[in-house]
Amino acid sequence: MRILQLGFVLALASGFAAIVIYIIGLSHLNAVSHLSEDELEALQALQSDFGKCVRANGLGLEAVSGKDYCQVSINFPKDTIPKWKDPKTGEVEGLSYNFNLCEAVATWEQVRNSSTILTKEFIDALPNGWTDYAWKRINKGIHLNNCANRTLCMEKLSLVLPETPPYIPRQFGRCAVIGNSGDLLKTRFGKEIDAYDAVVRENGAPIQNYTDYVGSKSTFRLLNRGSAKALDKVVELDETRKEALLIKTTVHDIMNQMIREVPIHNPVYLMLGASFGSAAKGTGLKALEFALSICDSVDMYGFTVDPGYKEWTRYFSESRQGHTPLHGRAYYQMMECLGISDQTNCSDIC
């Protein structure tokens, strides 16, 4: 079981040039001549240290440099047997995944300095925000005629739409994002997790009966569409009934009805967020994105797959075949090594 420490300050310190290159669109070989020696050294160090980190901590994964200092491939051992198949094409998941380190660092730094909660202020600030965007955050919003009746759209969003951001960047110090991996049952991290300033959990992951392993503290909970439709059950997972519930999809009438009639007193919001260009876009990634937007530092627990990387396991239910488990595993390895890219030994945080 690993704790993936995401102290991106280390990556940013050695990779500032990477951010600059990506932002100005120079992430290719022709741009090298425009860089200073210090910038080139920073990029070389970022890619070199990243490769060392993957070799040391990737449990068999290997990082291979791409066509420039930003591009890298993370490869699984050749004897890995993937199980996941694309439901549309039937193709088996691959063993190699390409990433852009410069893009990743720049995107995560952008997240760290912005709000990830949908607000009325955000919609109002968009050009044609109500007619072009607001209806997309309402279930079956396509039938609302681009919010031609703005009052109706406001009514449907009112219970989950604060006027201004309820949280600000770096509002919390140390935060923990808790995944659902079955590996959590291998180590009793409960007390350690409860010592964080804020704890972020996902979907219907239970706390009761597992506190020795996953702790009892819960500050935020990220919910997908299915969990959001069972909002009345989700609020029972935290005995304090103080969790802020963050929906990553849309608001719907069932949710509004439960908030009013149960009633649900927990804060309930809709997520904004960046697009990370990865197939690993599950609730865990959105939880991490949210944590980075409000915390100084973020540690991750329970984001591993079984030792053969063949299927997702969950600490509270039977193993099940997950969505793109290999791509997800590679993506989280990339994030870990961007966080500790100047360390070759992570014994203190693994």
Side-chain angles (χ1 to χ4, degrees):
M1 171 60 202
R2 311 178 65 77
I3 306 171
L4 306 187
Q5 188 181 60
L6 297 170
F8 278 88
V9 173
L10 296 175
L12 294 172
S14 64
F16 178 74
I19 299 176
V20 175
I21 289 173
Y22 178 72
I23 291 176
I24 63 177
L26 296 178
S27 178
H28 52 75
L29 288 174
N30 293 334
V32 172
S33 60
H34 299 285
L35 301 178
S36 68
E37 290 186 7
D38 288 343
E39 289 172 332
L40 278 175
E41 288 180 3
L43 281 173
Q44 291 170 341
L46 178 67
Q47 192 176 70
S48 174
D49 290 345
F50 181 85
K52 293 176 183 177
C53 174
V54 173
R55 284 195 299 274
N57 308 306
L59 301 177
L61 295 180
E62 180 185 14
V64 178
S65 300
K67 62 183 180 180
D68 58 43
Y69 293 121
C70 293
Q71 305 294 331
V72 66
S73 297
I74 294 182
N75 302 329
F76 284 83
K78 293 182 179 179
D79 59 353
T80 301
I81 303 175
K83 286 187 175 181
W84 186 85
K85 293 183 179 180
D86 188 299
K88 295 182 179 179
T89 66
E91 294 182 1
V92 177
E93 189 176 17
L95 299 181
S96 180
Y97 298 93
N98 300 323
F99 299 104
N100 186 313
L101 301 185
C102 304
E103 177 184 8
V105 172
T107 302
W108 286 111
E109 183 62 8
Q110 178 185 358
V111 167
R112 288 183 63 83
N113 291 284
S114 60
S115 173
T116 51
I117 299 295
L118 180 65
T119 64
K120 183 176 181 296
E121 179 182 74
F122 175 84
I123 296 177
D124 288 340
L126 290 175
N128 305 314
W130 287 94
T131 56
D132 292 345
Y133 176 78
W135 62 271
K136 297 178 181 179
R137 303 310 306 271
I138 301 171
N139 187 47
K140 297 182 180 180
I142 194 170
H143 300 301
L144 295 174
N145 192 25
N146 296 91
C147 284
N149 184 342
R150 179 168 168 175
T151 301
L152 177 59
C153 285
M154 279 288 295
E155 180 182 343
K156 290 181 177 293
L157 286 167
S158 62
L159 296 180
V160 296
L161 190 69
E163 182 72 28
T164 57
Y167 312 107
I168 60 175
R170 295 172 174 81
Q171 180 172 334
F172 297 88
R174 297 173 60 250
C175 298
V177 178
I178 315 302
N180 297 335
S181 171
D183 282 359
L184 283 166
L185 298 179
K186 296 178 181 179
T187 309
R188 296 176 184 270
F189 280 121
K191 291 183 179 179
E192 184 175 311
I193 290 172
D194 285 342
Y196 282 86
D197 298 314
V199 176
V200 184
R201 301 184 187 272
E202 304 167 25
N203 295 320
I207 297 173
Q208 189 176 6
N209 299 326
Y210 297 98
T211 54
D212 286 347
Y213 304 97
V214 301
S216 60
K217 186 174 187 175
S218 192
T219 319
F220 304 97
R221 188 176 291 266
L222 266 290
L223 304 176
N224 60 20
R225 185 187 303 273
S227 296
K229 289 183 177 179
L231 210 59
D232 55 336
K233 304 298 182 184
V234 169
V235 295
E236 296 176 355
L237 296 173
D238 173 36
E239 293 182 351
T240 70
R241 301 294 180 94
K242 294 181 179 179
E243 278 183 327
L245 307 176
L246 313 177
I247 315 299
K248 71 173 189 175
T249 53
T250 59
V251 66
H252 47 75
D253 292 341
I254 295 175
M255 184 193 306
N256 282 331
Q257 183 178 358
M258 284 188 289
I259 293 174
R260 289 191 177 99
E261 296 181 4
V262 170
I264 293 173
H265 298 296
N266 303 56
V268 183
Y269 304 115
L270 295 181
M271 279 283 293
L272 278 173
S275 174
F276 292 99
S278 165
K281 292 180 179 177
T283 308
L285 186 57
K286 297 301 292 184
L288 173 61
E289 179 185 337
F290 172 72
L292 283 172
S293 74
I294 62 168
C295 305
D296 268 335
S297 65
V298 179
D299 290 346
M300 297 173 67
Y301 295 74
F303 280 80
T304 52
V305 292
D306 76 317
Y309 309 127
K310 297 174 183 176
E311 60 186 9
W312 290 117
T313 60
R314 297 193 294 185
Y315 70 85
F316 53 89
S317 66
E318 295 295 324
S319 300
R320 67 189 182 106
Q321 191 168 347
H323 50 280
T324 58
L326 298 186
H327 196 170
R329 172 69 179 88
Y331 191 87
Y332 289 123
Q333 185 64 56
M334 177 193 69
M335 292 192 294
E336 175 189 11
C337 286
L338 283 178
I340 59 171
S341 60
D342 67 341
Q343 300 182 41
T344 57
N345 185 339
C346 71
S347 59
D348 292 337
I349 61 172
C350 296

